[in-house]
Coordinates of all heavy atoms in Angstrom, one line a residue:
E101 N -21.8 50.2 14.7 CA -22.9 51.1 14.9 C -23.5 51.0 16.2 O -24.2 51.9 16.7 CB -24.0 50.9 13.8 CG -23.8 51.6 12.5 CD -23.7 53.1 12.7 OE1 -24.6 53.7 13.3 OE2 -22.7 53.7 12.3
G102 N -23.4 49.8 16.9 CA -24.0 49.7 18.2 C -22.9 49.4 19.2 O -21.8 49.0 18.9
L103 N -23.3 49.5 20.5 CA -22.3 49.2 21.5 C -22.1 47.7 21.6 O -23.0 46.9 21.3 CB -22.9 49.6 22.9 CG -22.8 51.1 23.1 CD1 -23.7 51.4 24.4 CD2 -21.4 51.6 23.3
H112 N -20.7 56.1 24.5 CA -21.2 57.3 23.8 C -21.0 58.6 24.6 O -20.9 59.6 24.0 CB -22.7 57.0 23.5 CG -23.0 55.9 22.6 ND1 -22.4 55.8 21.3 CD2 -23.7 54.8 22.7 CE1 -22.8 54.7 20.7 NE2 -23.6 54.1 21.5
Y189 N -29.4 60.2 22.5 CA -29.8 60.0 21.1 C -29.6 58.6 20.7 O -30.5 58.0 20.1 CB -28.9 60.9 20.3 CG -29.1 60.7 18.8 CD1 -30.2 61.0 18.1 CD2 -28.0 60.1 18.1 CE1 -30.4 60.7 16.8 CE2 -28.2 59.8 16.7 CZ -29.3 60.1 16.1 OH -29.5 59.9 14.7
E190 N -28.4 58.0 21.0 CA -28.1 56.6 20.5 C -29.1 55.6 21.2 O -29.6 54.7 20.5 CB -26.7 56.2 20.9 CG -25.6 57.0 20.1 CD -25.4 56.6 18.7 OE1 -26.1 55.6 18.3 OE2 -24.6 57.2 18.0
K191 N -29.4 55.8 22.5 CA -30.2 54.9 23.2 C -31.7 54.9 22.6 O -32.3 53.8 22.3 CB -30.3 55.2 24.7 CG -31.1 54.3 25.5 CD -30.4 52.9 25.7 CE -31.1 52.0 26.6 NZ -30.5 50.7 26.7
I192 N -32.2 56.1 22.5 CA -33.6 56.2 22.0 C -33.7 55.8 20.5 O -34.7 55.2 20.1 CB -34.1 57.6 22.2 CG1 -34.2 57.9 23.7 CG2 -35.5 57.8 21.5 CD1 -34.6 59.4 24.0
K193 N -32.7 56.2 19.7 CA -32.7 55.9 18.3 C -32.8 54.4 18.1 O -33.6 53.9 17.3 CB -31.4 56.4 17.6 CG -31.4 56.1 16.1 CD -30.1 56.6 15.5 CE -28.9 55.7 15.8 NZ -27.7 56.0 15.0
F194 N -31.9 53.6 18.7 CA -31.9 52.1 18.5 C -33.2 51.5 19.1 O -33.7 50.6 18.5 CB -30.7 51.5 19.1 CG -29.4 51.7 18.3 CD1 -28.4 52.5 18.8 CD2 -29.3 51.1 17.1 CE1 -27.3 52.7 18.0 CE2 -28.2 51.3 16.3 CZ -27.1 52.1 16.8
S195 N -33.7 52.0 20.2 CA -34.9 51.4 20.8 C -36.1 51.6 19.9 O -36.9 50.7 19.7 CB -35.1 52.0 22.2 OG -34.0 51.7 23.1
L196 N -36.2 52.9 19.5 CA -37.4 53.2 18.6 C -37.3 52.5 17.2 O -38.3 52.0 16.7 CB -37.5 54.7 18.4 CG -38.3 55.4 19.5 CD1 -38.3 56.9 19.2 CD2 -39.7 54.9 19.8
S197 N -36.1 52.5 16.7 CA -35.9 51.9 15.4 C -36.2 50.4 15.4 O -36.9 49.8 14.5 CB -34.5 52.0 14.9 OG -34.2 53.4 14.6
D198 N -35.8 49.7 16.5 CA -36.1 48.3 16.7 C -37.6 48.1 16.8 O -38.2 47.0 16.4 CB -35.4 47.7 17.9 CG -33.9 47.6 17.6 OD1 -33.5 47.6 16.4 OD2 -33.2 47.4 18.6
A199 N -38.3 49.0 17.5 CA -39.8 48.9 17.6 C -40.6 49.2 16.4 O -41.6 48.5 16.1 CB -40.2 49.8 18.8
A209 N -37.7 57.7 14.1 CA -36.9 57.4 15.3 C -35.7 58.4 15.5 O -35.5 58.8 16.6 CB -36.5 56.0 15.4
K386 N -16.1 56.9 19.0 CA -17.0 55.7 19.2 C -16.3 54.5 18.6 O -16.4 53.4 19.2 CB -18.3 56.0 18.6 CG -19.4 55.0 18.9 CD -20.7 55.3 18.4 CE -20.8 55.2 16.9 NZ -22.2 55.3 16.4

Side-chain angles (χ1 to χ4, degrees):
E101 274 301 307
L103 284 169
H112 293 306
Y189 171 71
E190 295 280 0
K191 183 71 174 177
I192 296 176
K193 179 183 77 171
F194 283 114
S195 298
L196 277 180
S197 293
D198 288 341
K386 187 175 76 171

